[in-house]
Amino acid sequence: MDLVPTLWAALSLTAAGVFCGWRGARPPNPIRGPRLIPWRALMVVCATGALVFTVHLVNLLGVTTGR
C-alpha cells in the first residue's frame, strides 16, 4: 500500500477504536436489554489493526524495523 491509503486506514481504525471504546465503557441499561455487540472486543481488534498500519506507515517513511 502507498502512503496515503495507509494513513487513511490507520486513522479510520483509530477513530473506530475510540468509538467502540466509548460504547463499551457506557454503563449497562437493564431496561433496554443486553448489549448484542461486543464493543470491547471490537475496540481491541481496531487497536491491533491501527498498530499494524502504524508500523507499516513508519516503514514507508524509511525507518527499518526488524532484521
Side-chain angles (χ1 to χ4, degrees):
M1 288 178 75
D2 291 334
L3 184 67
V4 175
T6 303
L7 183 62
W8 276 108
L11 290 176
S12 299
L13 282 170
T14 302
V18 168
F19 176 74
C20 291
W22 171 71
R23 292 287 295 184
R26 294 179 68 187
N29 188 356
I31 295 171
R32 293 183 65 193
R35 294 184 203 157
L36 299 178
I37 299 175
W39 292 110
R40 292 178 185 169
L42 288 174
M43 178 187 61
V44 171
V45 169
C46 288
T48 304
L51 180 64
V52 168
F53 277 112
T54 302
V55 169
H56 182 61
L57 184 66
V58 169
N59 281 333
L60 285 175
L61 293 175
V63 178
T64 57
T65 57
R67 296 182 183 176

